[in-house]
Amino acid sequence: MKYVLTYSIFFLTLTFLLFGCMEQDESAFDKQMQEDDEALKDYFATNNIQAERLSSGIYFESLRENPSGSVVEDESIVAIRYRLQTLIGKAIDSLDSEAAPLRFYHAQKHPDALFPRGINIGVSHMRIGEQYRFYIPSYQAFDSYSFGQYLPQYAILVAEIEVENIETKEAIEQEEEQAITNYIEANSLTDVKELPSGIFFQLLEEGTGDQPTTGAFAQVNFKGYYLDDKVFTESEKDQPFTFYVGKADIIPGFEAGVEAMKKGAKARVFIPSHLGFAEGIQVIPTAIRKDFLEEHNIRDWRPYEPVVFELELIDFQ
């Protein structure tokens, strides 16, 4: 429970697990790279496909170009639509035009913000409005991870990607603020205040005494859920979460909520993603998300979504 609220996306952990180590020795990894590349070349020759190879080992075809579109730059928030299948033509997942586009954080040093990571690597060559088809070798996809008959081990994937937009942090913050406001109104919540920290705070029960300051050792019961009321974490019964205020690596919105409370108080705190779990990790196909993250001991925090915490400040010293 100590690290349940850790403000981290685990990029380095995932990179080690899925790309550096991959539970193989170096020679086995080199062999897999060679086998994937040969399979792709055979596929291209058989189907008369002219695809370009990137230094990452990913191949691509340009299906629609847009020279006037903005380039996907490093550390962008990219919104895409996609179709995903295996190299042998088995459809896996898609995102149609009626659904909201998939958002993810694009950064060269953190390709693990999206899996299969080859998509995140590939979009750096695209502009808004363009559509590419990427051929992703297994070591840039899910490597040895499998999901029943849905996704086999060492699957080479084909992804058709359309970059719909490059979004700004400011636009996302405004959108999330509106979503929080809508939730408050829809649930007829009263006396909810926006604090200077950026969180929305509703005091449910008064406490007594002072509020905790930096360095205080706090004991807190909590329940965390999304605006669709799906609970994603909860403190264990009779085992409150403990931390030093201002000295712990926890999400800023949680700490700001605790700092606004007195001993014995209960409150509901609405936290936008920039004060919460930020970009998180995206996984497609969506059907494997929960299993994939559990397999690698990564908490299932949704990217770019506000969260709600119900807090009880039991005590602090």
Side-chain angles (χ1 to χ4, degrees):
M1 188 57 64
K2 172 67 175 175
Y3 300 103
V4 71
L5 301 170
T6 300
Y7 183 47
S8 172
I9 312 173
F10 305 101
F11 287 129
L12 295 180
T13 301
L14 278 173
T15 299
F16 177 77
L17 287 170
L18 299 174
F19 191 65
C21 173
M22 290 186 284
E23 299 179 351
Q24 308 176 62
D25 59 30
E26 186 175 352
S27 61
F29 176 56
D30 291 341
K31 181 180 179 182
Q32 188 63 50
M33 290 179 65
Q34 183 177 353
E35 289 179 357
D36 284 1
D37 201 58
E38 289 176 355
L40 283 165
K41 288 178 179 178
D42 289 343
Y43 180 86
F44 299 148
T46 300
N47 293 279
N48 194 28
I49 293 172
Q50 301 296 318
E52 297 184 51
R53 189 181 190 276
L54 303 175
S55 60
S56 59
I58 299 164
Y59 288 82
F60 75 93
E61 296 177 90
S62 176
L63 305 180
R64 184 176 69 243
E65 296 186 355
N66 182 26
S68 63
S70 298
V71 176
V72 175
E73 297 180 344
D74 198 32
E75 300 186 352
S76 298
I77 301 170
V78 186
I80 65 169
R81 299 192 184 282
Y82 62 86
R83 290 183 180 277
L84 190 66
Q85 65 180 48
T86 64
L87 190 64
I88 61 174
K90 179 183 177 182
I92 296 178
D93 195 15
S94 63
L95 189 65
D96 60 31
S97 58
E98 295 183 0
L102 182 84
R103 292 171 172 162
F104 65 94
Y105 179 63
H106 170 70
Q108 294 181 13
K109 62 182 179 180
H110 294 316
D112 302 322
L114 171 69
F115 278 91
R117 67 202 309 271
I119 295 175
N120 202 353
I121 295 170
V123 296
S124 62
H125 300 268
M126 300 180 67
R127 298 172 179 267
I128 293 178
E130 292 189 331
Q131 185 176 14
Y132 278 25
R133 180 181 293 121
F134 293 106
Y135 299 88
I136 306 172
S138 65
Y139 58 89
Q140 295 288 20
F142 294 101
D143 192 57
S144 62
Y145 171 80
S146 63
F147 190 75
Q149 299 298 314
Y150 195 74
L151 183 72
Q153 283 189 322
Y154 303 108
I156 299 175
L157 302 178
V158 182
E160 290 188 9
I161 303 298
E162 177 186 358
V163 175
E164 181 168 298
N165 197 16
I166 299 171
E167 303 191 2
T168 65
K169 292 180 180 179
E170 293 75 16
I172 290 176
E173 288 177 16
Q174 291 177 7
E175 179 183 307
E176 291 183 5
E177 182 174 338
Q178 186 60 57
I180 291 172
T181 300
N182 292 345
Y183 181 94
I184 292 169
E185 293 177 353
N187 289 275
S188 302
L189 304 181
T190 59
D191 299 322
V192 181
K193 301 176 181 179
E194 183 176 6
L195 302 186
S197 61
I199 66 171
F200 289 76
F201 183 87
Q202 182 189 27
L203 186 63
L204 303 176
E205 289 187 23
E206 287 278 2
T208 59
D210 298 325
Q211 296 170 197
T213 57
T214 299
F217 184 69
Q219 301 176 52
V220 182
N221 286 331
F222 67 84
K223 179 171 73 172
Y225 50 95
Y226 297 104
L227 296 184
D228 62 5
D229 296 325
K230 180 180 179 181
V231 176
F232 63 86
T233 189
E234 191 168 5
S235 58
E236 298 177 24
K237 185 178 181 180
D238 300 324
Q239 293 186 21
F241 175 61
T242 60
F243 70 101
Y244 286 96
V245 176
K247 298 183 179 181
D249 185 21
I250 62 175
I251 59 173
F254 184 95
E255 191 165 55
V258 172
E259 290 177 325
M261 301 171 67
K262 298 178 180 179
K263 180 180 176 180
K266 294 183 179 181
R268 183 180 287 118
V269 181
F270 298 85
I271 305 173
S273 66
H274 70 282
L275 297 173
F277 299 113
E279 51 266 22
I281 296 173
Q282 288 284 20
V283 180
I284 53 176
T286 55
I288 75 169
R289 175 183 174 86
K290 185 175 185 294
D291 183 77
F292 176 79
L293 294 178
E294 287 181 352
E295 176 80 11
H296 297 95
N297 197 29
I298 305 300
R299 291 191 175 274
D300 188 2
W301 291 323
R302 300 178 189 171
Y304 301 112
E305 283 200 35
V307 293
V308 186
F309 276 96
E310 292 182 2
L311 305 175
E312 179 186 9
L313 180 54
I314 298 173
D315 196 5
F316 67 89
Q317 300 173 3

